[in-house]
Amino acid sequence: MLGRLNHVAIAVKDAEKAAKIYAGAFGAEISGAVPLPEHGVITVFVTLPNTKIEFIQPLGEASPIAKFVERNADGGIHHICYDVPDIIAARDRLIKEGARVLGDGVPRIGAHGKPVLFFHPKDFSGALVEIEQA
Amino acid sequence: MLGRLNHVAIAVKDAEKAAKIYAGAFGAEISGAVPLPEHGVITVFVTLPNTKIEFIQPLGEASPIAKFVERNADGGIHHICYDVPDIIAARDRLIKEGARVLGDGVPRIGAHGKPVLFFHPKDFSGALVEIEQA
């Protein structure tokens, strides 16, 4: 039921600047900055051979990561995203096991155009967990 | 120069308990608990199709993660580990780009029996970075 690690998201004040150290120091391939106003973030991806790092930067006053970046001035690891084959089945099983889904529990379309849900970090060892329909 | 994402490490008070939610709720494959006294941690791995999650629990009074777990009672994402083909070349390039290596900069043998180095989170968007010779 648990698929690939889709991405690790790191929230920062400046996503392009953050990604550039991966390009410069590691020679990694990085994407351009993509504003996603409906998600309140700007994203820049770092491509690794087996997964990706996603830098996210607050966009707009209602950005869901604004407070996190305020509290973590240097940036910080914000969440881990796992692929699941069936997001409804995964949601129901996680809830049955005691994990708390964030929001109303109805999957919404995430930054990659696929249905996503988030689960409470207290139920996953302090790590905010996103699941995405693969 | 930047290889696979080797693992994401999550530091917790009880690594087996933390991994069990992945086994129970996600049906993921988890390893047994392995004490590594020379590293001051107990590890439990969660196997994903493309990488792994490594739960680490403090072991002994001088554990390098004791303070982190004290500060983060629920646990928290502790570091990200990347494979590199040549750890000395990677270290020198990262230092040249302005990243600060932790300790004396001499690779030591990590939890997987391979040379590793850590770099300062302030130079990587608040994320503690480990590099491991692939």
Side-chain angles (χ1 to χ4, degrees):
Chain A
M1 190 181 115
L2 186 58
R4 301 172 72 254
L5 187 148
N6 186 292
H7 64 268
V8 177
I10 302 178
V12 287
K13 283 181 184 160
D14 184 335
E16 275 192 297
K17 189 179 159 196
K20 274 180 189 160
I21 193 165
Y22 281 76
F26 279 129
E29 186 190 327
I30 63 172
S31 75
V34 179
L36 298 168
E38 72 278 25
H39 294 286
V41 294
I42 295 170
T43 60
V44 177
F45 290 102
V46 178
T47 305
L48 305 179
N50 60 334
T51 187
K52 53 188 183 287
I53 303 296
E54 181 175 330
F55 285 104
I56 47 178
Q57 168 187 337
L59 175 63
E61 284 175 18
S63 171
I65 61 165
K67 275 186 189 166
F68 181 92
V69 172
E70 238 178 71
R71 279 198 309 270
N72 300 276
D74 296 318
I77 302 172
H78 184 263
H79 66 266
I80 308 179
C81 177
Y82 301 110
D83 285 342
V84 292
D86 178 336
I87 197 163
I88 299 299
R91 176 196 66 187
D92 293 348
R93 185 159 166 183
L94 288 169
I95 290 171
K96 199 180 155 198
E97 293 282 334
R100 284 163 286 179
V101 68
L102 300 188
D104 59 8
V106 178
R108 64 188 190 95
I109 299 302
H112 314 130
K114 295 180 178 176
V116 301
L117 282 170
F118 285 87
F119 284 83
H120 202 296
K122 278 190 191 286
D123 300 325
F124 284 95
S125 316
L128 176 61
V129 164
E130 180 181 17
I131 58 173
E132 179 173 311
Q133 175 112 11
Chain B
M1 189 179 115
L2 186 58
R4 300 172 73 255
L5 187 148
N6 186 293
H7 64 267
V8 177
I10 302 178
V12 287
K13 283 181 185 161
D14 184 335
E16 274 193 296
K17 188 179 160 194
K20 274 181 188 160
I21 193 163
Y22 281 76
F26 278 129
E29 187 190 327
I30 64 171
S31 76
V34 179
L36 298 168
E38 71 280 24
H39 293 286
V41 294
I42 295 169
T43 61
V44 178
F45 290 102
V46 178
T47 305
L48 306 178
N50 60 335
T51 186
K52 54 188 182 286
I53 304 295
E54 181 175 332
F55 284 105
I56 47 178
Q57 168 187 337
L59 176 63
E61 284 175 17
S63 171
I65 62 166
K67 276 187 188 165
F68 181 92
V69 172
E70 239 178 71
R71 279 197 310 269
N72 301 276
D74 296 318
I77 303 172
H78 184 264
H79 66 266
I80 309 178
C81 177
Y82 300 111
D83 284 342
V84 293
D86 178 337
I87 197 164
I88 299 299
R91 176 196 67 188
D92 292 348
R93 185 160 166 183
L94 288 169
I95 290 172
K96 198 179 155 199
E97 293 282 335
R100 283 163 288 178
V101 68
L102 300 189
D104 60 8
V106 178
R108 65 187 191 95
I109 299 303
H112 313 131
K114 294 180 177 177
V116 302
L117 281 170
F118 285 88
F119 284 84
H120 202 295
K122 279 191 190 286
D123 300 325
F124 283 95
S125 317
L128 176 61
V129 164
E130 180 181 18
I131 57 173
E132 179 174 309
Q133 175 113 9

